[in-house]
């Protein structure tokens, strides 16, 4: 089955910060799309400043998995669009939330906690993402851990519900640890949060990071199982009148 992917990126840092522009000259969304293409997955893109943030009803209806990156403008995302994405996830669309997307309105709405709450530090630190569920399909093709020479630190406590599956745990040079690969299910939709990807580091060019995101797209794709039936329904069997 061909998985239809849309990558949503705020696309602000790359236009306003020369340091970020040097790392991602065509935007983080294009780097992510190119990484998926290496794994045979074609992806469209959408950005914050497009009409309806690029997430029209038509776009979402033709999206199997939505990849989300945001940071400096979470508050600018329309509540109407958040509700539209929310309904799409409940109806079966997969959602992959990357790095600072943890603070997005859509992630907080789906998880129901203050997902912005965590420790952080920018200090050019080494990060090791240890696989704690080696049998999980999102970890396929990855060895014991992924090592990134420079990344932003995120530290516990991370105010999210206990994950249904924990795939990666990060260790940082400064001593902190962080739950970095978490899965959830909401309605018919599957959600994966993946921690690395600060905008000033070339994380999304790392082969293992690209593989994990491609694996996550395949994992989060709709299963094809029929949606549940809700509400007032007719009986499946004939109901005999009571004597």
């Amino acid at each position: 089955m061909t998985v239809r992917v849309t990558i949503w990126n705020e696309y602000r840092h790359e236009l306003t910060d020369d340091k970020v522009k040097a790392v991602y000259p065509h935007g983080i969304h294009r780097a992510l799309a190119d990484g998926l293409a290496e794994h045979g997955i074609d992806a469209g893109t959408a950005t914050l400043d497009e009409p309806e943030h690029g997430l029209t009803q038509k776009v979402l209806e033709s999206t199997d998995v939505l990849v989300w990156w945001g940071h400096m403008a979470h508050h600018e995302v329309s509540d109407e669009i958040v509700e539209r994405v929310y309904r799409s996830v409940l109806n079966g669309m997969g959602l992959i939330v990357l790095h600072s997307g943890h603070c997005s309105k859509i992630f907080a709405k789906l998880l129901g906690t203050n997902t912005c709450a965590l420790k952080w530090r920018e200090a050019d630190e080494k990060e090791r993402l240890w696989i704690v569920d080696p049998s999980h399909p999102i970890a396929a093709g990855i060895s014991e851990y992924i090592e990134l020479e420079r990344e932003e630190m995120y530290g516990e406590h991370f105010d999210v519900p206990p994950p249904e599956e924990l795939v990666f745990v990060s260790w940082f040079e400064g001593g902190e640890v962080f739950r970095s690969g978490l899965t959830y299910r909401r309605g018919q939709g599957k959600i994966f949060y993946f921690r690395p990807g600060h905008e000033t580091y070339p994380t999304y060019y790392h082969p293992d990071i690209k593989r994990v995101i491609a694996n996550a797209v395949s994992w989060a794709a709709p299963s094809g199982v029929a949606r549940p039936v809700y509400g007032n329904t007719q009986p499946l069997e004939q109901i005999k009148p009571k004597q």
Side-chain angles (χ1 to χ4, degrees):
M1 180 186 82
T2 300
V3 181
R4 302 169 299 175
V5 180
T6 300
I7 298 169
W8 191 88
N9 176 27
E10 207 175 70
Y11 196 37
R12 288 287 180 79
H13 287 291
E14 303 94 313
L15 299 177
T16 60
D17 187 323
D18 288 340
K19 186 176 181 181
V20 179
K21 192 183 301 183
V23 179
Y24 296 107
H26 305 294
I28 288 172
H29 52 298
R30 283 301 340 152
L32 290 168
D34 291 345
L36 288 178
E38 293 177 17
H39 292 271
I41 301 170
D42 292 329
T45 63
T47 58
L48 177 65
D49 292 324
E50 295 176 39
E52 300 183 63
H53 308 325
L55 298 175
T56 64
Q57 188 62 43
K58 183 178 180 180
V59 166
L60 291 176
E61 286 174 357
S62 61
T63 298
D64 295 317
V65 179
L66 179 63
V67 180
W68 190 282
W69 196 101
H71 185 203
M72 65 188 294
H74 297 304
H75 61 287
E76 294 185 40
V77 178
S78 158
D79 290 343
E80 179 184 355
I81 303 304
V82 172
E83 180 63 26
R84 187 180 294 169
V85 174
Y86 177 78
R87 290 196 306 268
S88 296
V89 173
L90 296 187
N91 286 330
M93 183 183 74
L95 178 66
I96 298 171
V97 178
L98 300 174
H99 190 59
S100 47
H102 71 86
C103 203
S104 62
K105 290 181 179 180
I106 183 57
F107 195 54
K109 183 176 178 69
L110 284 161
L111 268 59
T113 57
N114 179 17
T115 57
C116 275
L118 48 76
K119 297 184 181 76
W120 62 274
R121 177 178 61 248
E122 291 183 48
D124 289 347
E125 292 180 57
K126 180 185 294 184
E127 175 182 5
R128 288 196 185 115
L129 293 110
W130 289 91
I131 296 175
V132 294
D133 187 354
S135 67
H136 200 284
I138 290 177
I142 307 298
S143 58
E144 257 193 318
Y145 61 85
I146 300 170
E147 184 160 303
L148 302 172
E149 286 302 318
R150 294 185 303 141
E151 250 297 351
E152 179 182 26
M153 184 281 293
Y154 281 4
E156 296 287 350
H157 178 248
F158 184 20
D159 190 8
V160 294
E164 295 178 22
E165 300 163 306
L166 181 60
V167 185
F168 295 98
V169 169
S170 286
W171 165 89
F172 295 89
E173 218 170 332
E176 292 87 357
V177 296
F178 191 78
R179 291 167 290 167
S180 287
L182 302 83
T183 76
Y184 299 92
R185 287 171 174 80
R186 294 292 184 270
Q188 295 290 95
K190 291 183 279 188
I191 302 164
F192 178 58
Y193 173 73
F194 192 42
R195 195 219 71 84
H198 187 63
E199 67 273 5
T200 59
Y201 302 119
T203 298
Y204 293 128
Y205 300 120
H206 191 290
D208 286 344
I209 298 299
K210 290 188 282 188
R211 179 178 290 277
V212 168
I213 296 171
N215 289 345
V217 163
S218 298
W219 171 84
S223 64
V225 174
R227 294 177 185 175
V229 176
Y230 299 110
N232 189 12
T233 64
Q234 295 299 312
L236 296 175
E237 309 289 342
Q238 183 178 1
I239 300 174
K240 297 178 180 179
K242 297 293 188 288
Q243 297 299 323

